[in-house]
Amino acid sequence: SSKLRHVEKDVLIPQIMRDRAKELCSDKVQAFTKCCQETGLLMVVKCRQENTALKDCLVGYYSDPLFYEECKTEYLKQREEYRATGIKKKRQKLTSNV
């Protein structure tokens, strides 16, 4: 059944959404990180633009019902596989940090 428990709706699916959104916004994550590394203590002031761009990108995904459904489907698929095999699958990162 695809009935979701409270913890799945409020914790597990949002976790997938966060991971996927970070991957999809990775250019903005990198820009913000780079800005912070270059500016140090002044990053709050200096990197406001990068921070806003990143937040807008992430929130755009978080508030997209289609994106939620996609992540829910991915979660249910993982849950199904886990129930069938007993093996918890690690999410593959789209980007490899090599």
Side-chain angles (χ1 to χ4, degrees):
S1 87
S2 57
K3 192 102 179 69
L4 291 171
R5 298 191 329 265
H6 174 66
V7 67
E8 294 174 319
K9 259 202 294 262
D10 297 346
V11 179
L12 300 173
I13 293 171
Q15 183 61 59
I16 291 177
M17 291 176 77
R18 271 195 299 278
D19 290 349
R20 285 196 56 197
K22 260 193 212 125
E23 287 164 6
L24 294 164
C25 299
S26 66
D27 53 335
K28 294 176 183 62
V29 172
Q30 281 167 342
F32 180 61
T33 306
K34 189 166 173 277
C35 180
C36 291
Q37 286 166 344
E38 286 167 5
T39 48
L41 291 173
L42 291 171
M43 66 186 183
V44 179
V45 180
K46 286 258 194 190
C47 304
R48 193 174 287 147
Q49 213 174 346
E50 288 82 353
N51 191 22
T52 302
L54 174 56
K55 265 206 215 112
D56 289 349
C57 183
L58 294 172
V59 169
Y61 284 111
Y62 297 158
S63 53
D64 179 354
L66 227 61
F67 184 66
Y68 175 82
E69 286 304 318
E70 252 174 60
C71 293
K72 183 172 105 175
T73 303
E74 183 183 333
Y75 170 76
L76 290 171
K77 208 172 71 199
Q78 284 176 12
R79 189 177 76 172
E80 211 45 55
E81 273 171 34
Y82 174 65
R83 285 181 177 172
T85 62
I87 301 163
K88 204 153 178 49
K89 204 165 140 247
K90 289 297 283 169
R91 281 198 68 242
Q92 286 103 14
K93 288 273 175 247
L94 299 179
T95 50
S96 62
N97 300 333
V98 182

